[in-house]
Amino acid sequence: MSSSALTTTSYAILGLLAIKPWSTYELAQQMDRSLGRIWPRAQSKLYEEPKKLVAFGLACASEEQVGQRPRTVYSITSKGRRALAAWLHDPGAGPVLEFEQLLKIFFAENGTRADAMANLAAMREWAQARSTESLAIGRAYLDERGPFPHRLAQLELTSRFLTDFYALVGDWAHWASQIVETWPDEPGRAQPDLTVIEETVRRAAATAEADAQRAIQHGDAS
Amino acid sequence: MSSSALTTTSYAILGLLAIKPWSTYELAQQMDRSLGRIWPRAQSKLYEEPKKLVAFGLACASEEQVGQRPRTVYSITSKGRRALAAWLHDPGAGPVLEFEQLLKIFFAENGTRADAMANLAAMREWAQARSTESLAIGRAYLDERGPFPHRLAQLELTSRFLTDFYALVGDWAHWASQIVETWPDEPGRAQPDLTVIEETVRRAAATAEADAQRAIQHGDAS
DNA sequence: TTCTTCATGTAATTAGTTACATGATTGA
DNA sequence: TCAATCATGTAACTAATTACATGAAGAA
């Protein structure tokens, strides 16, 4: 009885069930390959959450046999569809970022320059690997081989975000590497570059005032 | 005894202690205002983790009195500095993104167009709010009023990343809003735009091959 | 036929969050 | 002097992860 209320994770699963019925293993796969990029959860969670959905009447489980072994396939109920719609009605929470590599740059003065450079190299590799994935998925859709083509209108929005995020990570790491390269051996003695701050302030200002700017450009300033 | 090993959260605290001794409350503040942007944790964690550091000999606690009430101030030990340096030596894990708002766009076909638009508006507001914060911090440093100016070389790197991330969120939400605006009332019937995918593929390819490109430009292709 | 990988889960543990409790300080 | 807010923590709970266990299917 892990009763309590439904979490975002529950709704993430429910959203998948709204596409089609899945076995738990398939759900886990899906989580691993696609959903996990925006809502990462461990495999084992995927075996628990659907039970909660069933307890709430939002999904139903059907037992199948594969060899001697039972498997559970979950489908959404109409109550489940209503719950999903209700969830979509309130705006969600903003992004939460957990970024260990960046943390290590933040504290870089306690290590060596080489440490920081290696860390940045790992970031670039990460960005490349993720981009390669995105690329393969995008190409599959261009070849009309992508799964659930009827969801493409939504998918093309989210995959653009992810692609741009990976590009941001890669570009930033590349930019930062060029700076860290010029640091002395002990990063604690590195000198700041005020023009970097100035440019950062300019960019922050642009985003902070973005809506106002756009409104003015469209001529509907108050 | 929540013994076990040190986590990234432990090292995040240890990194703060390397700057100066802090009371637990100050640590929590710091976590809330700055570190939390890249390593978000609940306040109460911040009362637990330092005890673990002490148990490992990486920090030491000193009791002070404020009125009748005791307060604990933690400082790093030299063993703690060595542990921090060792931690910095291995590259960290890549970014982990949890993004409920994007999840709701991913599943938008189960709600209304208005739901999706409201969700995107919330995203823009989030980006604006965070950018405003970044802006204030950046300006403080330009005025030489920022805390720990000797750490500016590191800070200017990480705050550039965050600023660009907030810009990405804001720009994407703005772009997506323009597309979602053209959707029919039921997002399930929205038509995909193949040129969007084509552009995404182009961008993903650029990042996936970025290092190779840069190597070629620098004339050190293998 | 045996080894490996795919598939289907459960159990134990822990990391983390929410909620609460209460003393000190400030200012209206 | 009373309310509000700052400061300092603890306790209860739960979400999530890691590790384990084992059957089925396919390859060598």
Side-chain angles (χ1 to χ4, degrees), chain A residues 200-214, chain B residues 124-136 139 163 166-168 170-171:
Chain A
T200 302
V201 162
R202 229 170 280 131
R203 294 185 188 189
T207 304
E209 296 147 15
D211 278 356
Q213 293 293 333
R214 285 163 188 149
Chain B
R124 290 203 306 275
E125 278 161 33
W126 182 92
Q128 268 189 268
R130 289 300 172 100
S131 296
T132 303
E133 265 180 27
S134 281
L135 184 55
R139 283 186 174 148
T163 298
Y166 303 148
L168 166 58
D171 291 346

Side-chain angles (χ1 to χ4, degrees), chain A residues 90 93 100 104 106 109 151, chain B residues 90 93 100 104 106 151:
Chain A
D90 335 297
E100 196 188 33
K104 292 194 179 193
F106 188 70
E109 76 269 25
R151 299 191 65 247
Chain B
D90 334 298
E100 195 188 33
K104 291 194 180 192
F106 188 69
R151 298 191 67 247

Side-chain angles (χ1 to χ4, degrees), chain B residues 30 49 59 64 95 98 113 133 146 166 179 187 192 197 199 203:
Chain B
Q30 204 59 23
E49 286 291 342
E64 294 182 0
E98 247 176 42
R113 187 189 54 193
E133 265 180 27
Y166 303 148
I179 292 180
I197 308 269
E199 174 61 17
R203 296 184 185 188

